[in-house]
Amino acid sequence: MAIRACIFDAYGTLFDVNAAARRLSAEIGPGWASFSDSWRSKQLSYTWLRSLMGQHADFWQVTGAALDFAMAAHGVANRDGLRDRLMQLYLHLEAYPEAPDLLRRLKAGGLTTGILSNGSPAMLQAACASAGITDLLDCVLSVEQAGIYKPDPRVYRLVTDSLGLRPEEVAFHSSNGWDAHGAKLAGFRVLWINRAGQPAEGLPCPPDHELRSLAEVPALLGL
């Protein structure tokens, strides 16, 4: 069955999650990259743990709690409102350079484009506007509509329910291996954008394709 929609994870797939810490690296210190990794790792851990605990909070709150942990773990002091500045920068993460052009090509090819993300609606709206891709997206779906985080199957059903498509008509793109597996379990055609060259996850339902960047997508889709 032909692909009719291309749906993307947001953070790490379209938006560079290290951009906020990179911008303030001089204040964070030489270990800023490790700090950024800790922030991201704890952010994801809190989404999974809250889902298992039945204690949902939106991604803005989770991101703040993860940042507090990372600052404490790395001994980064909150000088001159560093925490608040990092949080505000998270609303304006840089898009990967190839992302806008890819979205334009997909739309020119007659495909529906959209986001399915853990991000809260306000966070996603701000990030898309800052990256200049709002008009290149037909839908921006947040897990807040399901009240639980990926990879819960209810989250992926938001796509098919919203677009009125069969799962196999959707190409789902994510840089997160666990997200790629979750999307494949939901029946999507899945492209794992393995930017970091990570080994395959030991999870059920592996993705259909493994790419190194979004720039490889058009050739795979025949655009």
Side-chain angles (χ1 to χ4, degrees):
M1 185 171 292
I3 295 295
R4 297 178 60 189
C6 288
I7 303 299
F8 298 82
D9 169 61
Y11 299 107
T13 304
L14 293 177
F15 305 121
D16 182 357
V17 292
N18 294 312
R22 186 184 300 114
R23 289 278 298 277
L24 297 180
S25 59
E27 296 179 60
I28 295 168
W32 74 267
S34 178
F35 167 87
S36 186
D37 287 343
S38 294
W39 185 8
R40 174 62 171 170
S41 176
K42 189 58 68 171
Q43 181 192 50
L44 292 175
S45 294
Y46 284 165
T47 66
W48 301 325
L49 291 170
R50 280 185 170 275
S51 293
L52 288 169
M53 295 168 70
Q55 297 293 312
H56 184 75
D58 75 18
F59 204 55
W60 183 250
Q61 182 175 333
V62 167
T63 299
L67 175 56
D68 291 337
F69 181 94
M71 292 181 74
H74 289 263
V76 175
N78 188 25
R79 296 189 184 91
D80 301 320
L82 178 62
R83 181 194 187 276
D84 287 344
R85 287 185 286 137
L86 284 167
M87 288 294 289
Q88 288 304 308
L89 284 173
Y90 212 89
L91 294 175
H92 306 285
L93 296 176
E94 299 168 7
Y96 287 102
E98 72 273 18
D101 180 63
L102 170 61
L103 293 172
R104 291 187 194 97
R105 293 181 68 174
L106 294 175
K107 287 189 71 65
L111 294 167
T112 297
T113 59
I115 282 174
L116 176 68
S117 173
N118 279 340
S120 68
M123 292 177 72
L124 294 171
Q125 181 181 15
C128 290
S130 179
I133 63 172
T134 301
D135 293 341
L136 301 176
L137 297 164
D138 296 300
C139 66
V140 178
L141 303 172
S142 166
V143 300
E144 290 305 301
Q145 295 170 247
I148 195 166
Y149 286 105
K150 297 176 183 178
D152 189 280
R154 287 169 286 183
V155 174
Y156 301 100
R157 284 199 292 271
L158 293 173
V159 173
T160 49
D161 289 349
S162 297
L163 299 180
L165 297 177
R166 297 179 183 181
E168 57 269 28
E169 295 178 299
V170 176
F172 185 83
H173 310 66
S174 181
S175 64
N176 301 296
W178 55 269
D179 187 21
H181 285 256
K184 188 59 188 177
L185 179 63
F188 296 151
R189 313 262 284 274
V190 179
L191 287 68
W192 177 28
I193 313 302
N194 187 10
R195 296 182 183 280
Q198 292 291 311
E201 299 284 357
L203 293 170
C205 305
D208 297 284
H209 302 281
E210 178 181 343
L211 309 178
R212 292 306 296 267
S213 87
L214 292 171
E216 299 176 49
V217 171
L220 186 61
L221 297 182
L223 297 175

